[in-house]
Amino acid sequence: MIVARSVALFVVAALFEIGGAWLVWQGIREHKGWIWIGAGVIALGLYGVVATFQSDANEPRGFGESEGSGTGTRGSVRGLRGAVSLGSL
């Protein structure tokens, strides 16, 4: 049940994140107006709300945090020193 809930939350959060970004993009890039931008901002805010419903305190609150790029992953694994000064790694 916990796995199904986590997957469902992930899917809902992904829809809010991708949909929200797309709405903002459409509003700005395609000149669709402030209503589209506002709807996108609301969807992105709901993405953050959905992420807080994850059951385990050790799970990432922002779903993108678990993906991380190589640089971001090295910085988080090595701690603050690695994140601040990646050139010394």
Side-chain angles (χ1 to χ4, degrees), residues 62-77:
F63 292 105
E65 292 175 22
S66 62
E67 297 168 8
S69 66
T71 303
T73 303
R74 279 194 325 194
S76 64
V77 170

Side-chain angles (χ1 to χ4, degrees), residues 6-46:
S6 287
V7 169
L9 286 171
F10 180 83
V11 169
V12 170
L15 290 174
F16 278 132
E17 181 185 18
I18 294 167
W22 182 81
L23 286 168
V24 170
W25 178 74
Q26 287 291 308
I28 295 171
R29 179 79 176 190
E30 303 296 326
H31 307 289
K32 292 199 175 182
W34 287 102
I35 292 177
W36 285 68
I37 296 169
V41 168
I42 290 169
L44 289 168
L46 289 172

